[in-house]
């Protein structure tokens, strides 16, 4: 999945973060896996995530699906 996200987003790096535990206020135990594309200009600090429209999110999801094939 990280490779597909990297390809679809033209990212230089992909950070994968796993979050689990009581301190994240989980009512039921479960695991979060975040796949975060990072571009060279963003390395060294975390940029705000841009707000996407439903159409933009759908288009991005389709690019990721295609990259998974």
């Amino acid at each position: 999945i990280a490779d597909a996200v990297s390809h679809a987003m033209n990212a230089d790096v992909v950070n994968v973060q796993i979050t689990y535990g009581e301190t994240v206020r989980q009512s039921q135990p479960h695991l979060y896996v975040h796949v975060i594309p990072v571009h060279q200009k963003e390395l060294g600090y975390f940029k705000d995530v841009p707000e996407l429209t439903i159409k933009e999110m759908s288009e991005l999801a389709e690019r990721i699906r295609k990259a998974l094939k």
Side-chain angles (χ1 to χ4, degrees):
I1 292 174
D3 284 340
V5 169
S6 177
H7 179 76
M9 301 285 298
N10 296 317
D12 298 303
V13 175
V14 174
N15 291 333
V16 178
Q17 174 186 343
I18 297 174
T19 306
Y20 176 79
E22 293 179 18
T23 59
V24 291
R25 301 181 187 153
Q26 296 179 348
S27 58
Q28 297 294 318
H30 62 283
L31 182 76
Y32 292 98
V33 178
H34 303 271
V35 180
I36 307 165
V38 180
H39 297 89
Q40 183 67 34
K41 63 184 177 184
E42 299 169 335
L43 292 175
Y45 58 94
F46 186 75
K47 295 285 264 182
D48 292 329
V49 177
E51 290 191 29
L52 302 176
T53 65
I54 297 295
K55 181 180 180 198
E56 290 170 323
M57 284 188 276
S58 295
E59 291 169 352
L60 177 56
E62 183 58 30
R63 290 198 329 249
I64 293 170
R65 277 192 287 276
K66 285 181 180 179
L68 284 169
K69 295 181 180 182

